[in-house]
Amino acid sequence: MPEKRDYYEVLGVEKGASTEDIKNSYRKLAIKYHPDKNPGDKSAEAKFKEATEAYEVLKDPEKRKKYDQFGHAAFGAGGFHGGGAGFSGYGDFDISDALRAFMNDFGGDSFFSEFFGMGGRRRGGGGGQAERGNDLQVRVALDLAEISAGASKKIKYRRFEHCPACKGAGGEGVRTCSACGGSGQVRRVSQSLFGQMINVTECGRCNGRGKVVANACKSCSGEGRARTEATISVNIPAGVAEGNYIPLRGQGDVGPRSGPSGDLIVLIEEKPHEFFERHGRDLVCELDIEVPQAVLGDTVVLPTLDGRVKLSIAPGTQSESVLRLREKGLPEVNNPRYRGDILVKVHVETPDRLSAEEKELYQKLLDMRNRKSAPEEGIFRKARHWFNGRE
């Protein structure tokens, strides 16, 4: 395994850099190497994960202090392990953790405008081209059963669509703007000490569209669009996680006067589960068992996302033991053949109320155990050996 690079080196900042400098540097790297901008590029994916791992440590004052003092050793032999919001407590910090961390900090409107190169009042490329509509966001909450199997959801939301009165034209008498000649730009020439200077600005008469409307539509005031309610179906693949998103191209606001539409960004949220807690692809739950079950072993029926299964408890199972049901967890997104496990943490319950018969049985058991081994050999054995080792 290659040696981990210094986190400050990864982000390209000095050791004494401010939190804001660290955030800005990470943001640039994350947008540059994000998997959605580099589909199939494993090198870019590795750099994105590396930058996110470094940022998750250096943005946190306590983690940064530990890292400055102990380096990567502060977080175990394998480097940083998931322990922050939304991260798995099992295994190394992986790409799903990195994507979730990135979306937790940079999932707002300003991010989508910068990341997708889209957003509000923008041109399609050059002067005079139609304005593109805004990108929109909706959130879809899924339970673990839907995440396990994948889901199809109908989403209702409000967006700008073509005005039904003017069909998106904005009115009657659409003609080329005389102020800019249809370019959407106005050039102004001025003289300075250094010679002639040309300043290019957006045309104020047509607002850069290159077209003007003689008689504006009264229904939309010349915008060419009206806000309506839309319904769309979206297929969500199995294995998604909190913070994942699905871009639906052209399903956002339509642009003014028949301009192209923006996108709809579907953000994934997870509903809490009454029994399981998610850790990456693994599901963790807790199970209470009685003393006789722990001592003698037993078989119990455990609910899973796919139905009930039998779980074998071995004789002599200790409290806080973790039992594993392989491949009963969540699938890997876009690769459902690979599934996580269910991890069952066992708690042995000590009864605090006993019947007379139960007390008699436990007393007999205690007497039998005491006859088999002296108290010193049982209770104090480890302590005695520890003291002997210090002599």
Side-chain angles (χ1 to χ4, degrees):
M1 180 180 292
E3 184 176 349
K4 280 182 174 287
R5 287 203 297 157
D6 178 80
Y7 285 152
Y8 292 99
E9 177 187 345
V10 169
L11 296 182
V13 297
E14 299 293 331
K15 193 170 184 179
S18 67
T19 303
E20 190 64 24
D21 288 341
I22 290 171
K23 182 176 181 179
N24 290 337
S25 179
Y26 165 67
R27 185 187 179 96
K28 292 177 183 177
L29 290 171
I31 291 175
K32 179 179 180 181
Y33 294 117
H34 195 283
D36 279 6
K37 277 201 168 184
N38 304 274
D41 188 340
K42 292 298 182 181
S43 175
E45 180 179 302
K47 290 178 180 178
F48 175 82
K49 184 180 80 72
E50 183 185 44
T52 306
E53 180 179 325
Y55 173 66
E56 284 300 301
V57 171
L58 298 185
K59 76 171 184 179
D60 185 285
E62 289 298 319
K63 291 178 184 175
R64 184 176 180 180
K65 183 178 178 181
K66 291 180 180 178
Y67 179 76
D68 287 345
Q69 188 174 1
F70 301 108
H72 294 301
F75 307 104
F80 178 68
H81 288 257
F87 295 139
S88 169
Y90 302 87
D92 290 337
F93 183 90
D94 60 21
I95 189 63
S96 62
D97 289 332
L99 288 167
R100 187 157 55 249
F102 178 63
M103 290 302 298
N104 284 342
D105 281 10
F106 302 99
D109 291 330
S110 60
F111 152 68
F112 284 110
S113 297
E114 181 177 353
F115 181 75
F116 291 106
M118 305 170 185
R121 312 284 293 181
R122 294 177 293 108
R123 309 287 162 216
Q129 294 191 16
E131 292 183 28
R132 185 181 180 280
N134 289 327
D135 297 332
L136 302 176
Q137 293 182 40
V138 294
R139 297 179 180 273
V140 174
L142 305 175
D143 58 35
L144 285 180
E146 291 174 314
I147 291 172
S148 176
S152 179
K153 291 285 186 178
K154 282 191 174 181
I155 301 170
K156 288 185 177 181
Y157 65 106
R158 294 187 65 80
R159 70 182 180 188
F160 278 115
E161 294 183 356
H162 292 305
C163 172
C166 65
K167 310 300 182 184
E172 295 179 349
V174 180
R175 62 179 185 270
T176 301
C177 175
S178 60
C180 64
S183 68
Q185 299 174 338
V186 176
R187 296 176 176 235
R188 291 184 175 86
V189 180
S190 60
Q191 296 293 330
S192 71
L193 293 174
F194 302 99
Q196 190 180 71
M197 298 189 67
I198 300 176
N199 185 31
V200 180
T201 60
E202 183 181 274
C203 177
R205 185 175 181 185
C206 66
N207 294 323
R209 296 187 178 103
K211 301 287 184 180
V212 292
V213 179
N215 300 309
C217 174
K218 294 181 180 179
S219 295
C220 63
S221 301
E223 275 284 298
R225 57 185 187 169
R227 191 174 292 279
T228 61
E229 186 174 90
T231 301
I232 189 172
S233 295
V234 55
N235 293 320
I236 302 171
V240 295
E242 177 92 21
N244 288 166
Y245 57 90
I246 301 172
L248 301 179
R249 307 301 183 191
Q251 298 299 327
D253 285 340
V254 69
R257 299 184 190 172
S258 300
S261 297
D263 296 339
L264 178 66
I265 309 300
V266 181
L267 296 174
I268 304 299
E269 293 182 345
E270 290 184 19
K271 296 178 183 178
H273 195 272
E274 60 179 355
F275 190 54
F276 292 113
E277 182 178 314
R278 180 177 184 173
H279 291 266
R281 288 187 293 159
D282 293 335
L283 298 175
V284 179
C285 64
E286 298 186 356
L287 178 67
D288 295 330
I289 63 174
E290 303 285 344
V291 172
Q293 290 176 295
V295 173
L296 301 176
D298 197 3
T299 299
V300 299
V301 177
L302 191 76
T304 72
L305 299 179
D306 303 318
R308 296 177 176 273
V309 298
K310 291 183 178 181
L311 175 67
S312 296
I313 300 171
T317 295
Q318 303 297 308
S319 189
E320 310 307 311
S321 297
V322 176
L323 308 180
R324 184 184 299 269
L325 288 170
R326 296 192 179 278
E327 298 184 354
K328 293 296 182 180
L330 297 174
E332 183 177 306
V333 67
N334 295 325
N335 197 356
R337 292 181 302 169
Y338 297 97
R339 300 185 71 95
D341 303 329
I342 290 181
L343 305 174
V344 183
K345 191 173 184 179
V346 175
H347 300 286
V348 180
E349 286 190 325
T350 303
D352 54 1
R353 294 184 180 180
L354 298 173
S355 65
E357 183 180 3
E358 288 173 326
K359 285 183 179 179
E360 182 180 352
L361 290 172
Y362 272 107
Q363 186 61 55
K364 288 181 179 179
L365 179 62
L366 178 62
D367 293 341
M368 292 175 62
R369 300 293 294 178
N370 286 340
R371 285 197 299 271
K372 290 182 64 176
S373 61
E376 181 183 355
E377 286 300 316
I379 300 175
F380 298 109
R381 182 188 305 146
K382 291 183 179 179
R384 187 187 66 189
H385 290 172
W386 184 81
F387 281 115
N388 290 341
R390 293 174 60 88
E391 292 176 356

